Amino acid sequence: MKAVFLTLLSLKLEGVASFVSPQPRQSIPHFAKMSMSATSTDTSSWLGLQAEAAKTAVGAALNSEQESRVRGTGAPFVQNKLRLFGSTERPRLTLYRDHAGWCPYCQKTMLLIEEKQLPINIELVPMRSYGDKPESFLRMVPSGLLPALLVEKNDGTTQVITESQVIMEYLDLLHPVDEGFRQMLPAENDSGGQARYKRLANLERELFSWWCTLIFRPEGPGFSSGGMIGKLMGSNDSSMSGAMKGFLDCLSKVDDELASTSGPWFFDFASHPTMIDFVYVSHVERMLASCAFWKGLDLRSDNYRRQFPALNAWLDAFERRECYLAFKSDYYTHVMDIPPQYGPGYDGGFKDDRLSYQKSITGKDSKSWNLPLPFDDPLQPLYRGPPLPLCVLKAAEIISDNGIVGVEGTSYEKADREKMAEACRQMAGWKLAGNGQNVAKFASRGGPQGSKNPRKGFGAELADPYAAPDEALVPYVDLALKMVCSALLAEGPVAHETAVENMKAGLEEQIARNKAKDVASALCYLRDRTGVPRDLPLAAARQLRAHLNAAIDVLH
C-alpha cells in the first residue's frame, strides 16, 4: 500500500485554507462562457455562482452563519477565530492551535472550550509537518509546541502555557462551576472520583501505547484466533498478532469502565462529556481510522458494537453533538495526517478486510467517491448524529430521527435522502463558489508546471505551501471548477442529474483536448487535498470529491 499512500497523501496546506474561509467576493477576468443551454448559471463568473448559492436556503443560512462566526457568536467551527458564548467583554485568553485540524491535542482542548463555553481568541498556526511557523509565534513559544495558551493578566503582563493537559486544567480552574461554567473534573473533595480520574488517565496512556505498538511497528507472529474471536473478526484469517490482542484487550478495559456508569460518559456527575472524555476521544478517533486502514479492523462494525457496546455508545453520544462534528475528521484525512506526526503505519491484520477498507477510504472502490453516491458510507456512517451544521439542516428542513428539524442529540438515519443529498451538495457548492478563484490557483499546482517548491520539503510528503501554480493551466482549471460548482448547486434530484450531464458536456466542449489531461491532474490534486473537517464535514466533502471525480473521468 506504500505506493498508494505516497500518491494520495493528503495535505492540509495554507494555500488551500482559503477554501475554508471564503475571501471578500470580487469579479475575475472572463476566460470562457458556457451557453445558458449548457448550464442554468453563468459559469464564467464566480460572482454569478456566489449569487446562485445565496439563492438556496442552504447558501443563505451559511452566509448568515459566516457573519455570526466573525462576531464570535456562531456555531462551533474548526476555523473560528473568536468564541464569545454571550460574553460582551474582549477575551483575555488566546489559544494557538493547528491550522489544518490534524493535532489531537488541539482537538481535545477545543472540545473542552466548546463544551465549557469559554470566551477565547483563537489563532491558527501550521504544524511543522506542513509549513513554517510564524516568527512571531516562535518568539513566544520557542519550542513551537501546539497548542499554546496566551494569558493576559490583570497587571498587564502575559503568560504562555503549553501542553494540552496543563492548558485544559488551567482553563477549568479559571472558569469554576460556581461562576456558572460546566464541571469538567471530579470535585476536590470527591476522593473516589479523583482516584477514578487518575486510573482512567493511566488507562488512556496504556491504550495509546498499545495502539502505537499495533500500528507503527511491524506485527509479530500471530496465534490461532478461531472460535469466538474468529467469529468476532468476521474474517477468513485465522491468526491474530500479540500486538492486536493486547490492543483489543485494553480496549475491553476501556469498554468496561464506560459500562460502569449510568450514562454514555466516563463520569456520572454530569450529563455532558468531561475532561477525561476529551482526553480519550481525540486519539480513539484516530485509532478507528488507522485500525481500519492498516489492520482491517472496523471497530464500529456490528460485530464490534456487540463486543464493545459501551465504547460504541460513547462514540455515538459524541457524534450527536454539533461541537464534536465541527472538529471530527474522516478516515482519509486521518490516515494521511497520522504518518507525518507518528511515523508510517504498517500493513497487517486481516488482509481481505484491510484491502477492502483501504479502497473505500481512498475512494478507489468505485463507490465512496463516485456518482451516484450511496446514501450512507458503510465504513464511516454519516447519520448517527447531525452530518452537517445545524443551520444547514434547519434551512433544508431536514427532520431528525426524533421528529424535530435540525437539532443535535439525535441521529439522522431516517432523514429524507433527497433533501439530505441536496443539502450536502449545496454546502460543498457554496464553499467552492465563495473562494473559487483561489481554489483554482491552488488546484493548478497539480499541473505539469506546478508544485515546484523553491524552498524546502516537509514531513508530510507532498506538503508544498510555497509551490506556485501552473499559471498557464489556471484559466482552464478555473473554468472546470465553475462547471463542477454549478452541478453541486442544482436544486432537486432531476435538476442535479441534468446539471451533471451538462457539466460533462461542457467539459468536453470547452476544455481543449491538449489541456484535458493536465486539468484532470489538477482536479485530482484538489480532490486528494480536500480535508475533513477543515474544508467541509464528511457528508459534504464526499459530494465534492465525487463531483470532481465525475469531471476527472470526462477529462481523462
Side-chain angles (χ1 to χ4, degrees), residues 27 73 75 91 93 160 208 218 242 267 308 313 324 326 369 387 418 422 463 476 551:
S27 61
T73 60
L93 300 170
V160 177
F208 179 82
F267 279 99
F308 305 125
Y324 180 66
W369 292 10
E418 291 182 357
E422 181 175 305
Y476 299 93

Side-chain angles (χ1 to χ4, degrees), residues 509-529:
E509 294 168 7
Q510 300 207 38
I511 302 297
R513 284 177 179 260
N514 66 336
K515 295 291 184 181
K517 187 174 181 180
D518 294 341
V519 173
S521 178
L523 298 186
C524 288
Y525 185 93
L526 175 61
R527 176 201 64 198
D528 296 341
R529 287 159 176 79

Side-chain angles (χ1 to χ4, degrees), residues 159-175:
Q159 178 184 5
V160 177
I161 303 172
T162 57
E163 301 290 348
S164 61
Q165 189 62 40
V166 178
I167 291 171
M168 293 167 72
E169 291 179 7
Y170 177 83
L171 290 173
D172 190 55
L173 182 66
L174 202 62
H175 302 86

Side-chain angles (χ1 to χ4, degrees), residues 119 130 141 154 185 231 284 295 381 414 493 496 503-504 512:
Y130 63 85
V141 187
N154 292 332
L185 288 168
K231 292 178 181 178
V284 170
K295 304 300 173 182
K414 300 176 183 177
H496 173 251
M503 176 192 75
K504 294 177 179 179

